[in-house]
């Protein structure tokens, strides 16, 4: 059959000036040399010997052929000699739209991928970025497929551009389904994050819900990769054999509609079903539940976000059209003369609409970290209202002079706190450091009294505070005057000791006749009162806690 079709498409060489000459496109070529190298003239105006193919009409025909089979000024059959056709012009328009979507997707990735909260182990940042990564992949593969589609019309005979545009078209289909899946999956993760943010222990980690959410992505990408292996690793050469109608029927169409393409479309439909199941699972566990089959269906439609009401039906077109192409070759992008409206409406338009829907809602929705911070502020305000706590507004501190100066040291903050206790707050334009109040330690000796109790006046008594407080300056002056007028001496220390001993006695001081009688038992805490104890001074007994009371045998 192939030989018959090949003979049917072969035409004889036109006669020339003599028996060894042929006239092809106003160019005289050596017929003996052409027959020696097995060149044949076909009905599609090409000259080929199975290895080389040359155009055989003006102005692309060769000027001369040498005895060794080399042509002068020849043009290959796989050259872009045709003008831009309907397929190429539409491809340029779609490529521009996908390029704009690529830029907008990168902007949306920067908007939603930025972090404003610490990263938790349960919710990784890459989880919310995958839908935008897949959007970038979809845009890139679509642009490559559309730009190579321009050469499909320009090439005289189909060759590598037809294979490239089909190859990247299938990759775009895979990326589109993965983008919708990641958008739905991450929405469920975002619902879970909002659900457990007020209470981290609201959901268990070992229940059926968590197991489904763990295994569902694995099942999805299993069918996704099966679709990939059904299409991509294959022999693409028969697809380009569309040089004449018989070749299309015998080689290109059977290869483009084989069982592997049909199975690939079904596997992509399974991926779409798993996406819908993931959406249903998230609504069931993180949205209000409904009772009854009809109410559940109505609730599922009502609780589905508007973005997914648009994405899910459009995404269904992707596996449906891929399965249609596996059964009807006239609608397939692999067909050189396929239906242009069907190819762009069913093959490229769904991916483009999904891209722009994602971008629009990406600019409408807020960053998740910012939204979570806003929800926390609202919850704290509600808790404050329930507890009756009213927080002062931000301008309250500025009006009352409680503004922290940038670069303020700890010493300046302590000075400001001391002044607030004394009742002297700084004015609005006054710095706390302007009131020089050194925080010196309190001296154990009073002003005017040496540590040893001598009458030697101190050189400069250490002040407690130096500042504008009039009360502190008055107290310091009174202490200095009292120390100068009433100096203390050693007799005061001796009087203090005598008075302490008198207080330790029970009753009046003993007379001379009763000096031989034993003294009464001393108070607890006096010197020698209990074996092994040390009598503290009067000043230290004041600060001591009362002795421990024995309440049970365990205290002994």
């Amino acid at each position: 059959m192939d030989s018959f079709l090949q003979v049917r498409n072969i035409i004889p060489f036109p006669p020339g000036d003599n028996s060894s000459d042929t006239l092809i496109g106003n160019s005289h070529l050596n017929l003996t040399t052409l027959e020696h190298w097995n060149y044949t003239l076909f009905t599609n105006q090409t000259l080929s010997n199975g290895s080389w193919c040359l155009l055989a009409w003006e102005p692309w025909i060769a000027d001369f052929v040498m005895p060794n089979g080399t042509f002068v000024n020849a043009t290959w059959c796989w050259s872009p000699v045709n003008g831009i056709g309907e397929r190429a012009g539409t491809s340029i328009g779609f490529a521009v739209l996908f390029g704009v979507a690529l830029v907008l997707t990168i902007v949306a990735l920067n908007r939603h991928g930025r972090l404003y909260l610490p990263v938790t182990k349960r919710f990784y940042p890459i989880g919310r970025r995958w839908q935008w990564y897949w959007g970038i992949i979809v845009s890139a593969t679509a642009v490559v497929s559309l730009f190579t589609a321009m050469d499909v019309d320009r090439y005289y005979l189909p060759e590598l551009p037809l294979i490239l545009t089909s190859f990247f078209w299938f990759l775009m289909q895979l990326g589109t389904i993965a983008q919708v899946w990641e958008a739905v999956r991450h929405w469920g993760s975002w619902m879970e994050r909002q659900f457990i943010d007020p209470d981290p222990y609201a959901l268990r980690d070992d229940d059926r819900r968590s197991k489904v959410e763990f295994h569902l992505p694995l099942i999805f990408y299993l069918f996704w990769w099966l679709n990939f292996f059904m299409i991509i690793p294959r022999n693409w050469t028969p697809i380009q054999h569309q040089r004449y109608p018989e070749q299309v029927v015998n080689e290109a169409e059977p290869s483009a509609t084989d069982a592997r393409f049909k199975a690939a479309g079904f596997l992509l439909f399974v991926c779409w079903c798993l996406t819908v199941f993931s959406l249903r699972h998230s609504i069931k566990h993180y949205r209000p539940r409904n009772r009854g089959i009809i109410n559940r269906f109505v609730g599922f439609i009502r609780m589905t976000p508007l973005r997914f009401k648009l994405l899910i039906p459009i995404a269904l077109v992707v596996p449906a059209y891929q399965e249609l192409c596996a059964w009807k070759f006239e609608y397939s992008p692999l067909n050189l003369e396929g239906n242009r409206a069907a190819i762009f409406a069913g093959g490229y338009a769904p991916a483009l609409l999904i891209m722009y829907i994602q971008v629009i809602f990406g600019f409408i929705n807020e960053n998740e970290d910012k939204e979570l911070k806003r929800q926390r502020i609202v919850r704290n305000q509600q808790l404050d209202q329930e507890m009756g706590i009213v927080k002062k507004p931000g301008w309250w501190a500025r009006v009352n002079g409680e503004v922290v100066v940038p670069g303020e040291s700890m010493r300046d903050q302590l000075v400001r706190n001391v002044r607030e206790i004394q009742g002297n707050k700084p004015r609005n334009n006054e710095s706390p450091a302007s009131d020089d109040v050194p925080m010196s330690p309190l001296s154990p000796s009073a002003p005017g009294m040496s540590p040893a109790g001598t009458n030697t006046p101190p050189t400069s008594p250490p002040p407690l505070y130096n500042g504008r407080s009039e009360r502190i300056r008055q107290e310091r002056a009174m202490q200095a005057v009292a120390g100068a007028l009433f100096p203390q001496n050693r007799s005061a220390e001796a009087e203090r000791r005598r008075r302490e001993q008198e207080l330790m006695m029970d009753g009046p001081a003993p007379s001379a006749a009763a000096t031989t009688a034993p003294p009464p038992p001393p108070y607890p805490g006096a010197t020698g009162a209990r074996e092994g104890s040390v009598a503290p001074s009067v000043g230290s007994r004041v600060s001591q806690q009362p002795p421990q009371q024995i309440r049970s045998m365990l205290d002994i």
Side-chain angles (χ1 to χ4, degrees):
M1 183 67 180
D2 294 340
S3 60
F4 171 77
L5 292 175
Q6 186 177 3
V7 172
R8 181 181 174 184
N9 288 276
I10 296 176
I11 59 177
F13 287 101
D17 295 340
N18 50 46
S19 61
S20 63
D21 181 70
T22 179
L23 181 62
I24 303 175
N26 296 326
S27 180
H28 292 273
L29 300 178
N30 192 327
L31 181 59
T32 305
T33 305
L34 295 178
E35 292 177 349
H36 175 75
W37 295 104
N38 296 324
Y39 277 97
T40 306
L41 186 62
F42 292 90
T43 55
N44 57 3
Q45 297 298 311
T46 58
L47 189 65
S48 174
N49 64 348
S51 300
W52 304 96
C53 182
L54 305 173
L55 299 181
W57 79 92
E58 289 288 344
W60 315 109
I61 185 63
D63 295 335
F64 181 75
V65 57
M66 297 182 178
N68 60 358
T70 304
F71 290 85
V72 179
N73 294 333
T75 303
W76 300 109
C77 296
W78 303 284
S79 301
V81 296
N82 297 331
I84 294 178
E86 181 180 330
R87 183 170 187 166
T90 310
S91 298
I92 293 174
F94 271 84
V96 172
L97 294 177
F98 273 106
V100 174
L102 174 61
V103 176
L104 296 178
T105 302
I106 295 175
V107 176
L109 171 62
N110 181 56
R111 174 184 174 87
H112 290 274
R114 187 172 298 177
L115 301 180
Y116 295 93
L117 290 175
V119 179
T120 59
K121 186 178 180 181
R122 194 167 183 175
F123 303 99
Y124 291 99
I126 195 173
R128 60 182 174 182
R129 297 171 183 169
W130 263 117
Q131 55 181 320
W132 308 109
Y133 292 155
W134 280 117
I136 294 174
I137 294 174
V138 169
S139 298
T141 53
V143 168
V144 174
S145 176
L146 291 166
F147 274 114
T148 54
M150 291 186 294
D151 286 336
V152 174
D153 284 351
R154 298 185 64 204
Y155 271 50
Y156 181 72
L157 292 182
E159 208 234 358
L160 184 61
L162 181 62
I163 295 178
L164 288 179
T165 187
S166 304
F167 181 86
F168 283 98
W169 180 79
F170 281 107
L171 292 180
M172 182 197 67
Q173 299 276 293
L174 285 169
T176 303
I177 291 296
Q179 182 184 13
V180 177
W181 157 259
E182 287 296 336
V184 173
R185 182 206 60 79
H186 172 65
W187 180 79
S189 177
W190 168 235
M191 292 294 103
E192 179 186 7
R193 188 179 183 188
Q194 295 178 92
F195 197 87
I196 69 172
D197 187 67
D199 183 10
Y201 303 99
L203 299 175
R204 295 175 55 185
D205 295 337
D206 56 348
D207 56 348
R208 181 178 177 273
R209 174 199 59 82
S210 60
K211 293 179 180 178
V212 170
E213 292 178 355
F214 175 78
H215 291 95
L216 197 58
L218 302 179
I219 300 175
F220 172 85
Y221 281 107
L222 172 63
F223 285 95
W224 189 88
W225 279 109
L226 287 176
N227 177 276
F228 177 86
F229 286 114
M230 285 289 110
I231 295 176
I232 303 303
R234 63 184 300 121
N235 182 19
W236 290 86
T237 304
I239 303 298
Q240 68 182 1
H241 291 168
Q242 303 182 40
R243 297 158 187 169
Y244 48 91
E246 291 80 2
Q247 193 180 39
V248 174
V249 173
N250 289 280
E251 296 187 37
E253 184 175 354
S255 178
T257 58
D258 60 1
R260 294 183 61 179
F261 278 111
K262 293 181 175 66
F266 174 76
L267 294 173
L268 208 63
F269 175 72
V270 174
C271 294
W272 181 86
C273 294
L274 291 173
T275 304
V276 177
F277 177 79
S278 176
L279 179 62
R280 175 68 182 92
H281 172 82
S282 301
I283 293 177
K284 175 183 177 181
H285 290 279
Y286 307 120
R287 290 288 191 177
R289 296 187 178 182
N290 298 304
R291 302 294 181 182
I293 298 177
I294 299 178
N295 291 334
R296 288 180 183 177
F297 178 76
V298 174
F300 171 70
I301 301 299
R302 184 166 48 88
M303 292 297 177
T304 301
L306 177 61
R307 177 170 59 134
F308 299 136
K309 290 180 181 178
L310 300 175
L311 291 180
I312 296 297
I314 297 176
L316 179 60
V317 180
V318 175
Y321 184 75
Q322 190 174 121
E323 190 69 19
L324 176 65
C325 295
W327 291 91
K328 299 293 183 179
F329 184 64
E330 59 267 22
Y331 301 108
S332 176
L334 283 69
N335 190 353
L336 183 65
E337 302 295 336
N339 192 321
R340 304 289 190 267
I343 291 174
F344 287 98
Y348 292 95
L352 185 64
L353 290 176
I354 290 173
M355 288 290 301
Y356 275 96
I357 291 173
Q358 281 283 95
V359 167
I360 291 173
F361 282 92
F363 283 100
I364 293 176
N365 298 332
E366 186 57 83
N367 182 281
E368 295 178 6
D369 286 354
K370 289 185 177 181
E371 177 64 19
L372 205 61
K373 292 171 67 176
R374 187 195 63 81
Q375 294 179 9
R376 292 176 181 178
I377 293 174
V378 172
R379 287 199 304 268
N380 293 334
Q381 291 176 353
Q382 293 177 354
L383 292 176
D384 292 342
Q385 292 178 0
E386 294 176 0
M387 299 176 64
I389 300 175
V390 179
K391 293 186 177 181
K392 297 178 181 179
W395 52 264
W396 183 270
R398 295 191 296 270
V399 171
N400 292 271
E402 299 177 358
V403 181
V404 178
V405 180
E408 185 180 22
S409 62
M410 182 61 67
R411 173 184 175 277
D412 297 334
Q413 296 179 15
L414 293 175
V415 170
R416 188 179 67 253
N417 294 337
V418 170
R419 294 172 61 182
E420 291 178 1
I421 295 174
Q422 296 172 0
N424 298 326
K425 294 184 178 180
R427 293 184 292 272
N428 291 335
N429 298 328
E430 182 181 352
S431 175
S434 61
D435 194 5
D436 191 8
V437 184
M439 306 297 293
S440 59
L442 182 64
S443 176
S445 302
M449 176 180 174
S450 63
T454 59
N455 198 17
T456 304
T459 57
S460 59
L464 180 60
Y465 298 105
N466 285 326
R468 297 182 179 180
S469 177
E470 187 66 19
R471 183 174 58 84
I472 293 181
R473 288 199 294 268
Q474 291 178 0
E475 290 178 359
R476 188 177 69 245
M478 291 176 63
Q479 292 176 2
V481 173
L485 294 178
F486 304 101
Q488 299 182 4
N489 49 24
R490 295 181 181 274
S491 60
E493 182 67 20
E495 181 64 21
R496 187 186 65 78
R497 294 178 180 275
R498 186 192 65 77
R499 187 63 180 170
E500 182 181 359
Q501 293 178 0
E502 182 178 352
L503 291 174
M504 291 299 150
M505 297 176 62
D506 189 8
S511 59
T515 53
T516 59
Y523 289 104
T527 305
R530 186 178 288 113
E531 184 178 358
S533 63
V534 180
S537 61
V538 177
S540 63
R541 283 204 307 273
V542 175
S543 61
Q544 269 190 346
Q545 297 181 357
Q548 182 182 6
Q549 299 290 337
I550 299 177
R551 292 171 291 184
S552 65
M553 294 299 294
L554 297 176
D555 296 333
I556 301 177

